[in-house]
Amino acid sequence: MLVVAASPAGAAEPDLAARLKLLVAAYPESLAGIEGNTLVFKDGGPPLEIDDGKAKDHQAALAAGDVEDSLRQIYPLGACEAKPAVDFDPGRIRSDALMMRLYGKSAKAVQADLVPVKWFGETLRVTKRQGAAAALEKVRDALATKPELKRYLAPSAGVFNWRKVSGAKNMSVHSFGAAIDLNTKFADYWIWSGGKPGKVPKYANKYPLEIVALFEQHGFVWGGRWYHYDTMHFEYRPDLIAIAKAAGASACR
Ligand SMILES: [Zn+2]
């Protein structure tokens, strides 16, 4: 069921139908449209259920989110830091079933689509599916004009890693080669800071917000916007960025 997230005053929040339209438009390589309660795929494979009809609290949505759950919380944009409210984790709820249809159902399938992306003296392997590698190259080119930022960006703590989210039941977007971790030297991560489920340590961030804004401009969401914060982490979620723009959701107020 749709739980309406906190939204900036005055912005018209897109309803589920509008969010789904933006989701379909964000993945033109794979998604063909919506039919009833399903997403239809261009590969002719089975349609995917959008809403399983189960009421889920935040932990349940994180553990087993459907497509509708993944669009619940609207991500706020901009070069501003805002301490996330309790359980505000925009982007952290995902449909593993959808991600597997977009990027591959196994480590082997995902690996077949990884391509090299040069990244400040190293070479990363990033999925070419859904335009993710091309988007990361645009982020890199924009960041390369600001050499003072390089120490935050490299060495990267990695892209592809087929695994579940640490301490959780759902898949990390690193599994799909569509998430990048920056230099861990500047990282604040709720688990490394001593957090446990139900007990999240005080929020902190050491990355300049201009890095965040550049990633967002090219379709990536930042783990530093999450109550369960992970400030080195960016993942390619062009659906959520499009919904954020449509909602006028800003972190700068
Ligand atoms: Zn990460």
Side-chain angles (χ1 to χ4, degrees), residues 4 17 57 105 133 135 251:
V4 176
D57 65 14
K105 287 188 171 64

Side-chain angles (χ1 to χ4, degrees), residues 87-104:
D87 285 348
F88 187 61
D89 282 329
R92 205 162 168 263
I93 299 173
R94 309 176 194 90
S95 159
D96 283 354
L98 175 59
M99 296 302 275
M100 288 184 180
R101 294 290 291 273
L102 296 176
Y103 295 106

Side-chain angles (χ1 to χ4, degrees), residues 158 163 172 174 179-181 230 232-234:
R163 63 172 174 82
S172 161
H174 290 287
I180 179 172
D181 290 333
D230 182 0
M232 69 184 150
H233 177 94
F234 289 86

Side-chain angles (χ1 to χ4, degrees), residues 1 51-56 66 68-69 72:
M1 297 289 118
D51 185 356
D52 62 16
K54 292 176 191 158
K56 303 181 192 91
D66 60 21
E68 177 263 325
D69 295 319
R72 267 186 197 187

Side-chain angles (χ1 to χ4, degrees), residues 27-197:
Y27 301 104
E29 178 185 315
S30 294
L31 294 181
I34 299 152
E35 270 178 30
N37 186 32
T38 63
L39 286 176
V40 180
F41 290 80
K42 287 185 175 169
D43 64 8
L48 178 66
E49 184 177 65
I50 291 168
D51 185 356
D52 62 16
K54 292 176 191 158
K56 303 181 192 91
D57 65 14
H58 189 61
Q59 290 305 322
L62 286 171
D66 60 21
V67 174
E68 177 263 325
D69 295 319
S70 77
L71 306 178
R72 267 186 197 187
Q73 296 186 330
I74 295 189
Y75 179 91
L77 297 163
C80 299
E81 194 174 291
K83 188 175 166 278
V86 173
D87 285 348
F88 187 61
D89 282 329
R92 205 162 168 263
I93 299 173
R94 309 176 194 90
S95 159
D96 283 354
L98 175 59
M99 296 302 275
M100 288 184 180
R101 294 290 291 273
L102 296 176
Y103 295 106
K105 287 188 171 64
S106 66
K108 203 177 158 196
V110 172
Q111 278 173 301
D113 289 318
L114 299 180
V115 296
V117 171
K118 295 250 180 280
W119 186 262
F120 304 98
E122 56 193 318
T123 302
L124 307 175
R125 308 260 311 151
V126 182
T127 183
K128 67 180 178 190
R129 300 287 306 274
Q130 317 304 333
L136 189 61
E137 286 177 336
K138 285 187 186 161
V139 174
R140 175 204 61 207
D141 291 348
L143 289 167
T145 66
K146 300 169 189 286
E148 71 278 11
L149 296 178
K150 187 183 165 186
R151 64 198 186 109
Y152 297 101
L153 307 171
S156 159
V159 175
F160 172 72
N161 185 359
W162 184 266
R163 63 172 174 82
K164 302 213 160 167
V165 172
S166 182
K169 293 191 177 76
N170 61 323
M171 295 299 287
S172 161
V173 175
H174 290 287
S175 305
F176 306 110
I180 179 172
D181 290 333
L182 304 184
N183 186 350
T184 55
K185 192 177 161 194
F186 301 94
D188 289 283
Y189 179 35
W190 73 284
I191 290 180
W192 292 352
S193 300
K196 294 187 177 64

Side-chain angles (χ1 to χ4, degrees), residues 216-237:
E216 290 172 352
Q217 279 164 29
H218 298 289
F220 290 79
V221 301
W222 178 42
R225 301 247 189 255
W226 300 342
Y227 178 61
H228 296 87
Y229 55 89
D230 182 0
T231 64
M232 69 184 150
H233 177 94
F234 289 86
E235 64 182 60
Y236 187 62
R237 302 290 293 283

